[in-house]
Amino acid sequence: MKNNNNGCTKKEQLECNYHIIHKLPPGDSPYVRAKYAQLVEKDAEAAIVLFWKAINAGDRVDSALKDMAVVMKQQDRAEEAIEAIKSFRDRCSKQAQESLDNVLIDLYKKCGKLEEQIELLKQKLRMIYQGEVFNGKPTKTARSHGRKFQVTIKQETSRILGNLGWAYMQQSNYAAAEVVYRKAQEIDPDVNKACNLCTCLQKQSRYTEARSVLEDVIRGKIYGSDDPKSKNRVEELLKELEPFGYTSPSPQLNLEDAFLDGLDQLINQYAPFRSRRLPIFEEISPCRDQLAC
């Protein structure tokens, strides 16, 4: 292979560029080779084998386990990825557990394991309520498509509630999904959750309330109202509601105060704290079958 002006072969130059672009240290460890196989050679199977070697060798285990699970999911091996995380997460640092939970939630969703997904989402809400996330800080740094951005506790809580509401919808448990979406909208409203809330109300034959939710979007009161895709979805939902006339509003699902008060506390108090009361989901009695742990 020919050398370039720097005395490096073409392959060596490519590897050097790879390390720079992906901010990996130079070397030939199993994890570094796994990332090279994943991102440069696009060889998922080879990457998985090398990630396993990295985990067994104790080489960047936090990243190796998470990255391997993501690659397995892409290869339709989500069940294997779930078992891998469950079996080896005890080798990972405490700081890695939250991101592993996020990967598990995606894997459960991929496999249609709704009960496991719901339970883990509730667990994450408990952790927020007890001040066990973000290391006691009001924000954390997240990454998406190579970009860093700040996420607040309010945004994270609303995101988790949105995922929980969606999981309940997949179970056709629209009453429970409605409660969760309403709380998510109080914390950090957006159009997607508004449309899902509208669907929950529609499925319960509460058409007037469903229209009311969409009216807030039409008036531009909710973040994302100007998005073309969101506008199209709102128009589709309005058409679905056209055949139905006015209906009297139904009373909202009555949850024990501990549920709503607990969520209010977690979004208004950022410092770590531990409540002497039971976790919020443990104290729900009227909706125990829908929301209790």
Side-chain angles (χ1 to χ4, degrees):
M1 189 176 291
K2 294 182 180 180
N3 293 347
N4 59 20
N5 294 333
N6 296 323
C8 298
T9 66
K10 186 176 181 181
K11 182 178 180 181
E12 289 172 340
Q13 187 61 48
L14 286 172
E15 289 180 352
C16 182
N17 292 339
Y18 160 76
H19 286 297
I20 294 171
I21 293 170
H22 298 286
K23 299 179 180 179
L24 285 177
D28 194 38
S29 72
Y31 179 74
V32 172
R33 285 187 282 133
K35 293 301 290 182
Y36 190 90
Q38 176 194 2
L39 299 175
V40 178
E41 297 177 340
K42 308 295 184 183
D43 188 340
E45 294 302 325
I48 291 171
V49 171
L50 289 165
F51 280 132
W52 272 124
K53 288 184 178 181
I55 293 168
N56 290 325
D59 178 22
R60 301 174 186 267
V61 179
D62 290 2
S63 298
L65 182 56
K66 182 178 131 181
D67 291 347
M68 183 179 72
V70 171
V71 175
M72 283 181 166
K73 178 189 172 186
Q74 294 168 349
Q75 296 299 109
D76 292 324
R77 295 168 61 180
E79 294 275 3
E80 288 182 63
I82 291 171
E83 291 306 313
I85 291 177
K86 287 182 176 180
S87 299
F88 293 94
R89 68 182 306 166
D90 61 338
R91 299 190 185 185
C92 298
S93 67
K94 183 179 179 180
Q95 291 76 15
Q97 300 304 317
E98 185 179 348
S99 61
L100 288 173
D101 281 342
N102 290 334
V103 174
L104 265 181
I105 288 170
D106 286 339
L107 291 168
Y108 287 145
K109 186 175 181 180
K110 173 87 171 176
C111 295
K113 294 179 177 290
L114 291 173
E115 291 297 338
E116 291 87 346
Q117 183 184 353
I118 288 170
E119 180 58 35
L120 189 49
L121 288 166
K122 288 180 182 179
Q123 178 181 316
K124 289 179 74 67
L125 285 173
R126 288 193 204 96
M127 292 175 67
I128 294 176
Y129 178 58
Q130 295 172 345
E132 296 177 0
V133 298
F134 290 21
N135 295 316
K137 299 178 182 178
T139 63
K140 73 171 182 178
T141 302
R143 291 175 180 268
S144 179
H145 304 293
R147 294 184 179 181
K148 291 183 180 180
F149 57 95
Q150 294 296 307
V151 177
T152 67
I153 287 182
K154 286 187 176 183
Q155 290 170 331
E156 180 70 357
T157 304
S158 182
R159 183 187 71 82
I160 294 171
L161 286 169
N163 289 338
L164 182 59
W166 178 253
Y168 280 130
M169 287 182 71
Q170 304 315 297
Q171 291 184 324
S172 299
N173 193 344
Y174 299 110
E178 176 202 343
V179 173
V180 174
Y181 275 125
R182 285 191 184 279
K183 198 60 191 178
Q185 288 297 82
E186 288 180 24
I187 298 170
D188 188 36
D190 65 45
V191 172
N192 183 56
K193 291 194 287 287
C195 290
N196 288 342
L197 174 57
C198 172
T199 299
C200 292
L201 294 167
Q202 181 185 0
K203 293 293 185 179
Q204 298 176 77
S205 302
R206 292 159 61 186
Y207 307 115
T208 300
E209 292 172 80
R211 286 192 190 90
S212 176
V213 171
L214 294 181
E215 285 172 3
D216 287 340
V217 178
I218 294 170
R219 294 186 187 123
K221 291 183 178 181
I222 297 178
Y223 175 77
S225 300
D226 296 332
D227 179 67
K229 290 184 179 179
S230 297
K231 287 183 176 180
N232 290 337
R233 188 179 177 195
V234 169
E235 290 175 3
E236 290 173 1
L237 288 169
L238 284 172
K239 287 180 181 179
E240 292 177 9
L241 292 169
E242 280 179 3
F244 306 100
Y246 176 83
T247 56
S248 299
S250 301
Q252 291 187 22
L253 204 58
N254 182 26
L255 294 181
E256 212 171 290
D257 288 342
F259 175 75
L260 299 180
D261 289 348
L263 286 174
D264 287 337
Q265 286 185 39
L266 72 86
I267 64 173
N268 290 323
Q269 185 171 349
Y270 291 136
F273 68 94
R274 292 188 178 274
S275 171
R276 292 184 179 179
R277 302 191 312 175
L278 293 172
I280 49 176
F281 290 105
E282 302 287 351
E283 300 188 359
I284 299 165
S285 55
C287 301
R288 189 174 302 278
D289 291 339
Q290 298 170 358
L291 291 167
C293 297

